[in-house]
Amino acid sequence: MQFEKVIGQKEVKQHLVEMVQQNRLSHALLFLGKEGSGVLSLALAFAQFVTCTTRSGKNNTPKAEASLSMFGDPEPAPEPAAAPATHLTDSCGTCPACFKAQKLMHPDIHFSYPVIPKKSGDKPTSSDYATEWREFVANSPYGNSFDWLQFIGAENKQGNITSDECNDIIRKLSLKSFESEYKILVMWMPEYLGKEGNKLLKLIEEPPPNTLFVLAAENEEQILPTILSRCQLVKVPLLETADIEQALIEKSNAPAQTARQTAGIAEGNYREALQLLQHAGDDWQTMLREWLNAALKGGPQAQVKWIEDIAKQGREKQKQFLRYFNHLLEQSIRIRVMGADRILLPDQEKDFAQRLNKIASVSQQQTLIEELDKAAYYVERNANAKMLFHALTIKLYHIIQDKALFLTE
Ligand SMILES: [Zn+2]
C-alpha cells in the first residue's frame, strides 16, 4: 500500500517519511491509534516505503545473489546502483519490491497477527493463515480484530499470537534478508501477545542488523508493558471528518450528502463509517423517536414491542443505532456550548438534537452517552439483545426525569 492510498493522517505520514529520509529509523516502532484510524494501513505503507527500491536506489537482483552465495563464490560486484531518490515522499508503487509489498508477498516483510487453532490441539502460526490474511487486508484494511477473527471463522474462540508464532518470528528474523536492505516484521494487534511475547524481548532490544519491528495496535493498556517500553511510539490520531467524507465518496462512491452525514457520525473511525454507510438508508430518527416515546410515556406494552423489533435486527444494526443516538447526544451538547448556528448538521438532525436538550441536562446526556457506549460494547460481544435493550430502556427512563417536555412529532 502506498501512503497516498492511506486515508488522511498527513502529519503521521510526513513524520514517517522524514524518519526514513533522515536515517533516524528506530528498530522497533509501535503505531498506536484507535479503531478505524488506520494503524495497519500506515504500517503497510511504511514497510513498502522502506523496501521500495526506487526510493532506496538499492536494486538487488535476488537471482544473482542467491546463486553466487550458494556456491560460496566471492560477492559479485554490486550493480551500478541507481541514485537513491531521497526526495520521494511515497513508495513508487511500480518497482518489483512495491509490486510484491502490495500483494503482501515481499519475502522480507513478515506478518504476525492473532490466529486460532484450525483443529483442537493445533499450534497455529500466522503463516498458516497467509492466504486469508492477504484477502482480508485487500478487502478490509480498516477492519478490527473482531472482523478478522470472524473472517477466519473464530466464532467465539479467542484469537492469540502464540508461543509458536514467537518462535517463528525469531527464526524468520534470524535469516538474511532476501531482497531488501531491511527485514521487517509487521505485527498487527500485539494486544494478543500473552506472556509468551516476552520471548521476543531480546530480539526487540538487540535485533540483528537492519531488522525493523513495526507494531500496529489499538489499545495501549492491553499491550505487554515490557514490549511497550521497548518501542518508539508513533501516535496515530483519529481521522478528520473531512478526510472520512472524501474517502467515502472516492472509495465507496457514496453520494455527497450521505458521505457528509456518515462521516459526521463516525467520529474519526473509518471502519465505523463503512458500517454506517451500509445502513445509510435506515431511518434511525424514527426508530429513536419510537424508543424515547415508548420508554418515557408509552408504558410496558409499547416498550416490549419496540424491544422485540430491535432484537430482530442484526447486531451490527443495533450497534449503529446506539451510535447514532450517541452522535445526536454529543451534537446536542455541542449546540449548548457553541450555539445552534455554528453546528453544521442536516436540519432534521439539528432539530432533534435541540429537542434532546429540552428533555435532558448535560449530565443526564453524559450519563446516557456512557450507557450507550457500554451497551454497544456488549452488543459486539454477543449479549442477549432483548435483555440488553430492556435494561437500557429502564435506564433511559430513570436517567431522564423530566418527561413533561417530551419529543412529539
Ligand atoms: Zn517502489
Side-chain angles (χ1 to χ4, degrees):
M1 186 178 290
Q2 288 180 277
F3 279 125
E4 70 161 21
K5 300 273 161 58
V6 180
I7 301 164
Q9 306 295 12
K10 201 169 149 213
E11 282 169 24
V12 180
K13 290 174 188 170
Q14 196 183 343
H15 173 60
L16 293 170
V17 166
E18 283 172 5
M19 266 197 311
V20 178
Q21 287 175 339
Q22 299 165 8
N23 233 335
R24 291 187 289 111
L25 275 181
S26 157
H27 56 254
L29 291 168
L30 172 63
F31 291 35
L32 184 66
K34 293 228 166 72
E35 178 190 296
S37 60
V39 283
L40 176 60
S41 300
L42 282 165
L44 296 174
F46 177 70
Q48 183 168 328
F49 185 63
V50 170
T51 46
C52 170
T53 51
T54 308
R55 179 202 63 77
S56 67
K58 287 175 183 145
N59 203 349
N60 287 347
T61 40
K63 256 190 210 155
E65 197 178 71
S67 60
L68 282 162
S69 58
M70 203 177 286
F71 298 105
D73 287 348
E75 288 287 308
E79 287 203 3
T86 47
H87 60 282
L88 281 188
T89 55
D90 204 344
S91 49
C92 72
T94 51
C95 72
C98 278
F99 188 72
K100 290 176 210 169
Q102 261 147 203
K103 292 186 169 319
L104 309 189
M105 288 175 128
H106 195 294
D108 296 315
I109 307 178
H110 306 282
F111 296 98
S112 274
Y113 33 80
V115 292
I116 49 160
K118 290 197 170 179
K119 53 184 190 299
S120 72
D122 207 16
K123 294 180 174 170
T125 60
S126 299
S127 312
D128 298 337
Y129 287 91
T131 311
E132 290 90 339
W133 174 247
R134 287 180 195 127
E135 192 183 338
F136 178 78
V137 173
N139 294 323
S140 345
Y142 285 78
N144 63 13
S145 55
F146 175 80
D147 300 334
W148 161 244
L149 290 168
Q150 292 310 302
F151 183 72
I152 57 171
E155 290 172 4
N156 291 327
K157 278 183 238 148
Q158 289 289 320
N160 226 321
I161 297 179
T162 61
S163 167
D164 292 274
E165 173 65 14
C166 294
N167 294 336
D168 205 36
I169 292 172
I170 294 168
R171 186 185 61 77
K172 280 176 183 160
L173 294 186
S174 68
L175 302 172
K176 195 173 178 302
S177 64
F178 292 97
E179 296 175 11
S180 162
E181 189 183 1
Y182 287 96
K183 286 169 285 184
I184 306 176
L185 176 82
V186 176
M187 182 183 282
W188 183 58
M189 299 282 167
E191 293 95 323
Y192 283 81
L193 263 180
K195 287 206 187 74
E196 58 278 5
N198 287 322
K199 280 187 182 186
L200 299 176
L201 296 183
K202 189 162 169 285
L203 191 63
I204 295 181
E205 200 141 70
E206 296 167 39
N210 292 346
T211 306
L212 290 179
F213 281 88
V214 181
L215 280 56
E218 292 179 357
N219 298 297
E220 188 171 1
E221 61 281 5
Q222 289 171 18
I223 304 170
L224 285 175
T226 43
I227 300 255
L228 197 59
S229 65
R230 284 164 174 81
C231 293
Q232 185 184 331
L233 205 58
V234 177
K235 283 202 174 164
V236 180
L238 293 173
L239 283 168
E240 303 277 342
T241 302
D243 289 333
I244 293 188
E245 185 181 332
Q246 195 190 345
L248 290 173
I249 295 170
E250 286 172 7
K251 294 179 193 268
S252 301
N253 293 320
Q257 169 73 9
T258 313
R260 162 162 297 190
Q261 200 170 352
T262 309
I265 307 175
E267 286 163 18
N269 179 340
Y270 190 65
R271 173 184 182 269
E272 198 63 45
L274 291 176
Q275 307 265 7
L276 284 162
L277 196 61
Q278 286 180 1
H279 297 289
D282 294 342
D283 191 353
W284 301 122
Q285 255 189 55
T286 304
M287 205 160 152
L288 180 56
R289 189 176 300 112
E290 284 172 6
W291 190 30
L292 290 168
N293 278 323
L296 302 179
K297 61 177 190 185
Q301 222 176 343
Q303 290 171 10
V304 168
K305 186 188 172 300
W306 188 88
I307 291 163
E308 276 178 357
D309 282 348
I310 190 143
K312 281 183 213 141
Q313 315 283 344
R315 259 186 305 156
E316 208 41 64
K317 202 165 165 182
Q318 292 162 1
K319 236 178 60 189
Q320 302 304 339
F321 169 72
L322 294 168
R323 198 170 181 94
Y324 178 75
F325 190 9
N326 243 351
H327 160 71
L328 281 188
L329 286 164
E330 275 159 14
Q331 296 308 319
S332 62
I333 295 176
R334 288 181 66 212
I335 288 173
R336 275 184 209 272
V337 179
M338 297 167 66
D341 296 341
R342 298 182 55 196
I343 305 290
L344 203 67
L345 273 181
D347 288 344
Q348 241 196 340
E349 265 183 35
K350 194 184 274 190
D351 180 58
F352 205 106
Q354 283 174 303
R355 287 168 188 238
L356 286 172
N357 277 340
K358 289 187 190 151
I359 63 162
S361 67
V362 176
S363 68
Q364 287 169 320
Q365 287 168 328
Q366 279 166 342
T367 313
L368 274 175
I369 288 172
E370 279 164 31
E371 290 297 337
L372 294 168
D373 268 343
K374 266 193 247 168
Y377 176 91
Y378 290 118
V379 166
E380 180 141 290
R381 279 152 192 80
N382 277 325
N384 177 308
K386 268 191 200 172
M387 274 164 63
L388 183 133
F389 279 99
H390 201 114
L392 202 55
T393 304
I394 295 168
K395 279 184 186 154
L396 180 65
Y397 176 85
H398 284 288
I399 293 167
I400 301 177
Q401 288 140 1
D402 184 3
K403 303 183 290 290
L405 281 161
F406 193 54
L407 318 154
T408 43
E409 184 78 332

